[in-house]
Amino acid sequence: MKDPITKPIKQAMVGKDDTETTRREDYVHKDEEEAEGDPTSPSRWWFSSTLFPLLAATFGPLATAFNICALVMDWRIIVDPSSTESTGIDIRDPDWLDAVNAIALFTSVAANLMLLAHITGRISFPIAQPATFILYYLTSFLLIGLVAAAPAHLELPAGEDRTFSQAYYYAIISAAVTFLLASMMVVTALGVYIGRYSREFKLTVSQRALIFQTTTFIGYILAAGAVYSKVEGWDFLDGVYYVDVTILTVGFGDFSPKTHLGRSLLFPMAVGGILFLGLIIASVRTLVLERGTKKVTVRMLEKARQKALTKGDLSSGTIQVRPGKKRNIAKGATSELGRREQEFNIMREVQQKAGKTNSLIALSLSAGAAFVLWFVGAAVFQQAELNSQGWSYFEALYFTYVSLLTIGYGDFYPQTNSGKPAFVLWSLLALPTLTVLVGSIGDSISEGVGELTLWIGNHLPEKAGALKDLKNEASKTKKKDGGGFQEAKPPGFMSNSSGTDEESQSAEGRKDEESKAQNDVQSAGKAGKHYRRYLIMRQIKTTVQQMDATPPRQYSYAEWTWILKLLGEDESSSKKHRSAEATEDAEDAGHSGSKSWSWLGRNSPLMSGEDEPKWVLQRLMDVLEKDLKGEGDEHNDNETQKGLDELNDKR
């Protein structure tokens, strides 16, 4: 991320002067942290460079697991008329089917290993990437060929109630998932070959942890299914289905352990599986709701900023924050400090608008995904169970709803050989989808309650009794959260908002603190370098304490004025400032090449994509490091010169 304080400005305020080549070259050399925090990094490149490899590495082991399910059981079965479709006599598969199925499993495992080796840097891109999608495609085509040839070449006994087993349908699912993953990796490779991003996957440690967790979780389901099939005398695939239903806490009741050993093993099996499930849910929430949303949030903020500038009248200093709501920078500004504060306040409004838009989009997408999973899943299960149980679409809709919420009454559950594999896949997809939806709903409700509380604090009349207490509580919330974000006072700066009677200070105290603030600001600029370092260290100590605040802290303009003073910037001076209508090209920097910037510019600290305390801490440490290094270099130069002088004197 380009630093608005210490690095040259290279991009235009509105973005019209950016070239595609420059943006592409910048993105190629960014890691995941920088890419998701840069508003100029295109989201579509992030999807293909980061999301697609993450999905392939996460769902690749799932496709391999389904391939194992397709191999270990015979594809044909003579159904027992007195039992469900999955119970009966297996018909031995021909050797050629087992051989091809085994080759498909080998290529699937090899593709996953190649992808993992590339992600961990063990094998280079030119070897690993083509090998990965070629092996994925080969796996998919082998399974598709087997599935297509099965009806014609696998004879079923005449006059018997015969059908294909669960293994046949697992092969279909594995082929479809593998083909989709191979296509994703082709898109990723294409982006590298045309120079859109680097050859190294932009995966963070937490994303790689999710890959490991899902791989282990899938292996755990297969292993537990194998154990229970042995202990309870079930088919292996019924054991996998039972473990999936148990760990996901659905519990239909169609399968349950009957032996003493099976019931005893349930204790560690269920606890271990649910722990794995909790880890995956936490990782999905972190990646999708926090890190994944961060990328979208930064892009939404950049679009909102550009729209505010382009829809307004920059020649007159008018900015359109939202339709019907405009702000004028020049109006009422009697000084450079006042003008900059207006810019800052407008940027805060743009942030709020972008945040609300992003929340609405996140909620809409997660709700849309859940509804698709619900309604499309109902259609799949209705067709799978139509001949066996005669489900109507409404009954299938009821079943998927009860299953999606992990209620599991047990009045409806899949009994066919096609329904059970479909449920295993569907339930594993429902897990992250429901996690994201619940998180989005929770965030939206929390924001709504916060806004309602602030509205009460602003509009509730001052009356005795319960109303006064409610207004005081709302005022405390406003002071604490700062409209959804916490605001911390810098040394000496006072908030303009008044608190409750218990929290208010005397006028004398306010004057003393404001006087101290002015002295601190003057000290930062005029005092000796040692006292300035003390002020920086004091601010670093305060900032460290603000790092873990929830919700993240947002600084007021007074706080930013103090912080920027410590960084060597003066908000009251226009030397390094530019107006909203100015461009930010390096050639047009102005002031003899000084690095000028605007609060409404792309390189504003509010556009960094980082939590503000993190941004501040990094810059304060950089300034302190540079200052100390400069003093050290100066001391070394003096010592060197002193030594040379002594040597010359001896001569």
Side-chain angles (χ1 to χ4, degrees):
M1 184 69 198
K2 294 181 178 61
D3 190 337
I5 306 300
T6 61
K7 295 183 179 180
I9 306 300
K10 296 182 180 179
Q11 297 164 322
M13 172 79 67
V14 183
K16 294 182 179 179
D17 297 327
D18 291 338
T19 64
E20 189 73 12
T21 302
T22 301
R23 295 176 62 194
R24 184 186 309 169
E25 292 175 352
D26 289 343
Y27 187 78
V28 165
H29 301 290
K30 295 181 188 297
D31 59 21
E32 169 65 8
E33 294 280 356
E34 295 174 322
E36 72 179 12
D38 188 354
T40 66
S41 298
S43 298
R44 62 183 181 275
W45 299 349
W46 178 81
F47 275 100
S48 57
S49 66
T50 301
L51 184 61
F52 285 177
L54 178 61
L55 289 176
T58 302
F59 285 93
L62 178 63
T64 301
F66 286 176
N67 200 338
I68 294 174
C69 293
L71 176 62
V72 297
M73 300 295 294
D74 294 316
W75 281 25
R76 298 169 295 173
I77 186 174
I78 300 176
V79 179
D80 183 357
S82 63
S83 184
T84 61
E85 184 181 278
S86 61
T87 304
I89 302 174
D90 294 335
I91 302 175
R92 183 74 175 86
D93 290 334
D95 293 339
W96 62 265
L97 189 144
D98 291 337
V100 176
N101 213 343
I103 294 174
L105 177 60
F106 174 80
T107 55
S108 178
V109 172
N112 290 327
L113 292 177
M114 278 291 180
L115 180 59
L116 183 61
H118 185 197
I119 290 175
T120 56
R122 303 302 178 110
I123 300 180
S124 62
F125 173 86
I127 299 175
Q129 186 70 359
T132 299
F133 66 74
I134 289 174
L135 289 171
Y136 272 144
Y137 272 131
L138 181 58
T139 302
S140 179
F141 292 151
L142 288 173
L143 291 176
I144 291 174
L146 289 179
V147 169
H153 294 82
L154 296 181
E155 297 181 0
L156 294 173
E160 300 282 356
D161 188 6
R162 69 276 187 206
T163 186
F164 287 107
S165 68
Q166 294 183 55
Y168 174 78
Y169 295 99
Y170 272 113
I172 295 176
I173 296 174
S174 179
V177 173
T178 306
F179 183 85
L180 181 61
L181 298 181
S183 301
M184 288 182 179
M185 298 311 295
V186 168
V187 173
T188 300
L190 181 62
V192 172
Y193 283 122
I194 64 177
R196 297 293 182 176
Y197 39 78
S198 67
R199 297 183 173 189
E200 301 300 325
F201 292 146
K202 301 178 183 298
L203 299 182
T204 62
V205 174
S206 58
Q207 291 168 342
R208 297 180 185 186
L210 177 61
I211 296 172
F212 174 76
Q213 290 166 5
T214 53
T215 303
T216 307
F217 179 66
I218 293 168
Y220 186 87
I221 291 178
L222 293 180
V227 171
Y228 268 92
S229 65
K230 182 69 173 178
V231 172
E232 297 294 329
W234 300 332
D235 288 338
F236 170 70
L237 300 184
D238 283 337
V240 171
Y241 166 78
Y242 159 76
V243 173
D244 175 75
V245 170
T246 301
I247 291 178
L248 297 181
T249 68
V250 180
F252 292 127
D254 51 342
F255 283 88
S256 60
K258 299 297 189 295
T259 65
H260 182 76
L261 178 58
R263 290 169 178 169
S264 300
L265 291 174
L266 176 65
F267 295 105
M269 186 275 289
V271 171
I274 292 174
L275 287 177
F276 270 122
L277 193 63
L279 289 174
I280 293 175
I281 289 176
S283 297
V284 169
R285 177 174 177 81
T286 299
L287 294 177
V288 177
L289 295 182
E290 296 177 11
R291 297 185 61 84
T293 305
K294 179 180 177 181
K295 176 64 181 177
V296 179
T297 300
V298 173
R299 289 294 298 165
M300 291 301 301
L301 178 58
E302 170 62 10
K303 290 182 179 180
R305 184 193 70 84
Q306 290 187 12
K307 186 175 181 181
L309 293 174
T310 55
K311 294 294 183 180
D313 185 4
L314 296 181
S315 61
S316 61
T318 302
I319 308 297
Q320 179 173 302
V321 179
R322 62 175 62 91
K325 186 175 183 179
K326 296 183 178 181
R327 293 286 184 267
N328 193 300
I329 296 178
K331 187 176 181 180
T334 58
S335 64
E336 175 65 13
L337 190 64
R339 186 189 70 81
R340 293 281 286 185
E341 185 173 6
Q342 287 182 346
E343 280 191 2
F344 177 87
N345 293 333
I346 292 173
M347 191 62 200
R348 281 289 190 225
E349 291 189 62
V350 172
Q351 278 185 318
Q352 294 175 3
K353 177 179 180 295
K356 292 180 179 179
T357 302
N358 180 66
S359 297
L360 181 60
I361 292 176
L363 179 60
S364 300
L365 291 177
S366 57
F371 274 98
V372 168
L373 199 64
W374 180 17
F375 286 96
V376 174
V380 171
F381 289 117
Q382 191 258 342
Q383 291 298 318
E385 302 296 326
L386 181 61
N387 295 330
S388 177
Q389 303 187 68
W391 282 7
S392 66
Y393 181 72
F394 177 78
E395 289 173 332
L397 202 64
Y398 166 80
F399 162 74
T400 50
Y401 182 80
V402 170
S403 302
L404 188 64
L405 298 181
T406 68
I407 298 173
Y409 291 124
D411 49 348
F412 288 89
Y413 54 86
Q415 297 182 12
T416 62
N417 289 335
S418 59
K420 290 180 180 178
F423 180 82
V424 172
L425 174 64
W426 181 86
S427 62
L428 293 176
L429 293 177
L431 167 67
T433 304
L434 190 63
T435 299
V436 174
L437 176 60
V438 172
S440 298
I441 293 175
D443 292 342
S444 299
I445 292 176
S446 178
E447 291 177 4
V449 171
E451 291 180 359
L452 177 61
T453 304
L454 294 178
W455 184 90
I456 292 175
N458 292 329
H459 296 86
L460 198 65
E462 289 283 0
K463 292 183 179 180
L467 289 179
K468 182 177 181 180
D469 294 339
L470 182 60
K471 181 175 178 66
N472 288 340
E473 289 299 321
S475 299
K476 291 179 182 179
T477 302
K478 180 177 181 180
K479 185 175 183 180
K480 178 182 178 182
D481 294 339
F485 292 88
Q486 296 188 21
E487 293 186 358
K489 297 184 182 67
F493 282 95
M494 296 299 299
S495 172
N496 292 329
S497 60
S498 59
T500 60
D501 295 337
E502 295 82 356
E503 295 172 336
S504 61
Q505 297 181 353
S506 64
E508 187 76 21
R510 284 196 180 95
K511 290 181 180 179
D512 291 343
E513 192 162 355
E514 290 173 358
S515 176
K516 184 177 182 298
Q518 293 177 358
N519 293 335
D520 280 344
V521 172
Q522 292 174 359
S523 298
K526 297 180 180 180
K529 57 184 178 181
H530 297 294
Y531 186 71
R532 180 171 179 268
R533 292 171 190 165
Y534 156 73
L535 294 175
I536 292 176
M537 288 301 300
R538 189 175 69 173
Q539 182 61 44
I540 289 175
K541 180 180 178 181
T542 302
T543 305
V544 168
Q545 297 173 351
Q546 301 164 354
M547 291 285 289
D548 297 328
T550 303
R553 288 184 181 270
Q554 283 189 337
Y555 296 116
S556 65
Y557 181 70
E559 295 171 300
W560 273 112
T561 302
W562 164 253
I563 291 168
L564 292 173
K565 192 74 173 180
L566 294 178
L567 295 176
E569 292 280 337
D570 187 358
E571 281 290 281
S572 62
S573 172
S574 61
K575 183 178 180 181
K576 292 187 178 181
H577 302 163
R578 56 169 79 246
S579 59
E581 68 272 17
T583 61
E584 294 184 347
D585 288 334
E587 294 86 358
D588 192 27
H591 302 292
S592 302
S594 62
K595 310 173 190 65
S596 53
W597 59 281
S598 167
W599 283 108
L600 285 167
R602 177 177 293 162
N603 296 281
S604 165
L606 304 185
M607 288 291 298
S608 67
E610 298 177 321
D611 292 342
E612 292 179 18
K614 181 179 179 181
W615 188 97
V616 170
L617 182 63
Q618 180 180 345
R619 271 59 182 187
L620 289 173
M621 295 295 292
D622 289 343
V623 169
L624 188 61
E625 179 184 6
K626 182 179 180 181
D627 194 8
L628 293 175
K629 184 178 183 300
E631 182 177 350
D633 292 342
E634 181 180 356
H635 175 75
N636 291 337
D637 292 342
N638 292 337
E639 289 296 323
T640 301
Q641 185 62 41
K642 183 179 178 180
L644 292 175
D645 292 341
E646 292 177 354
L647 182 61
N648 291 332
D649 292 340
K650 291 180 180 180
R651 290 178 179 178

